[in-house]
Amino acid sequence: MGDPAGIGGEVLVQAWRAGALAAPFFAIDDPERLTALGAEVVEIGEPEDALSLPLGRLAVLRESLSAPAQPGAPDPANAGAVIRSIKRAVGFALKGRAGAVVTLPINKKALKDGAAFAYPGHTEFLAALSGAPLPVMMLAAPGLRTVPVTIHIPLSEAPKQLNARLIEETGAILAAALISDFAIARPRIAVAGLNPHAGEGGAMGGEDAALIAPAVAALRARGVEAFGPLPADTMFHAAARARYDAALCMYHDQALIPVKMLDFARGVNVTLGLPFIRTSPDHGTAYDIAGTGRADPASLIEAVNMAAGMAARRAA
């Protein structure tokens, strides 16, 4: 469902109308909300019902809101419905009743205010629901995939949380996903440094030599074609991107800014390391344009179609 006050429902209805989604799907949402946004809804009772829908109808598994959705005005009263929609989707995926989960953007403050939501974001909540020890966030756009080793923490905390083992394990999960979910037989992983110029031999910080270089060596010892640490400011131009399949970055913005600069509209958030496939549009609730008809469904279309492709490759 995502935050009912954001653009999630709008982009879902636009993507459905465009007929651009590559796999059968259903929404866990309030049918009245989606009808008000212009969808021709069929309420289903079970996930499997989505496989035999009348043409031109959007399958919806009911999750009723507690308060009417007002574009741009998040309401903590609806926090319970938002959280239940996530839990139900994960339950269906874990039981094999859905091939993947695609999440629409949430507002963490509204969830905290309305339901004492204790997680920094979707990624950490999905990991807790599924018992995954190390969720890995990947951002993907045409031409670039990036993974931040540290995610939703203050920048000042990132160097404190980094260690060689965390970098190594994140890189290993990334490599395994590139093989199984993206059909890249021998993935090449570029590893960014933490400091300017990757530390410049210790002159600009010692973390690159002390933490990142040993992690790269450990990944190579495990058969992963990893190389670095590399200066982050020269990793993302076109010629550099041609030399790797994914970039392993040390903190949130180091990974997200290049993807959003390259192709903001079609970026996808993928959570690796879970026992199911999860993707999401790489944008937020966009309260400033909610209800105006200006929301672009491109990222959601990419997210659904990427999830469908990942599911097909796993099945094969």
Side-chain angles (χ1 to χ4, degrees):
M1 177 187 294
D3 188 335
I7 63 169
E10 295 176 54
V11 295
L12 168 61
V13 172
Q14 288 180 54
W16 164 76
R17 276 184 186 154
L21 303 180
F25 72 97
F26 62 96
I28 303 176
D29 210 315
D30 189 311
E32 286 75 25
R33 174 176 101 97
L34 296 180
T35 298
L37 291 170
E40 296 179 39
V41 166
V42 170
E43 189 171 342
I44 60 173
E46 303 292 341
E48 295 77 12
D49 296 342
L51 296 172
S52 55
L53 277 188
L55 288 175
R57 296 296 180 93
L58 174 60
V60 181
L61 198 60
R62 177 177 289 276
E63 185 60 64
S64 297
L65 297 176
S66 296
Q70 299 295 330
D75 190 340
N78 286 324
V82 174
I83 292 170
R84 285 192 300 274
S85 73
I86 300 168
K87 289 181 175 179
R88 293 175 73 190
V90 169
F92 291 136
L94 289 174
K95 292 175 182 176
R97 300 181 70 189
V101 174
V102 181
T103 60
L104 292 170
I106 58 174
N107 179 304
K108 275 75 77 176
K109 185 179 186 306
L111 297 186
K112 181 178 179 181
D113 291 347
F117 188 72
Y119 300 91
H122 258 130
T123 301
E124 296 83 359
F125 186 40
L126 295 169
L129 290 175
S130 60
L134 181 60
V136 171
M137 184 169 76
M138 182 173 78
L139 284 299
L144 180 62
R145 303 179 187 93
T146 65
V147 165
V149 175
T150 62
I151 308 177
H152 296 118
I153 60 173
L155 181 59
S156 60
E157 293 295 317
K160 302 172 189 176
Q161 287 205 11
L162 282 175
N163 60 72
R165 184 67 175 171
L166 177 62
I167 298 166
E168 177 190 348
E169 290 305 316
T170 304
I173 289 170
L174 170 59
L178 291 172
I179 294 168
S180 65
D181 295 341
F182 295 90
I184 301 171
R186 186 167 177 79
R188 304 161 299 164
I189 298 176
V191 183
L194 173 68
N195 296 298
H197 303 179
E200 201 159 293
M204 296 187 186
E207 294 90 349
D208 301 274
L211 304 178
I212 303 173
V216 172
L219 283 167
R220 294 186 69 84
R222 293 169 70 160
V224 177
E225 193 173 329
F227 51 97
L230 304 173
D233 63 345
T234 59
M235 280 181 58
F236 300 109
H237 61 86
R241 296 198 311 269
R243 295 194 289 268
Y244 58 81
D245 300 297
L248 187 63
C249 302
M250 296 302 111
Y251 56 91
H252 182 276
D253 285 10
Q254 191 183 58
L256 271 67
I257 289 172
V259 172
K260 293 189 176 186
M261 285 293 293
L262 184 66
D263 197 334
F264 185 84
R266 293 189 293 167
V268 176
N269 183 347
V270 186
T271 305
L272 312 177
L274 300 175
F276 57 89
I277 294 164
R278 180 262 177 156
T279 67
S280 176
D282 184 25
H283 59 67
T285 52
Y287 293 135
D288 57 324
I289 62 170
T292 68
R294 291 160 48 202
D296 184 347
S299 185
L300 175 62
I301 292 168
E302 292 285 335
V304 173
N305 292 346
M306 183 178 291
M310 293 169 69
R313 283 186 285 274
R314 284 196 187 185

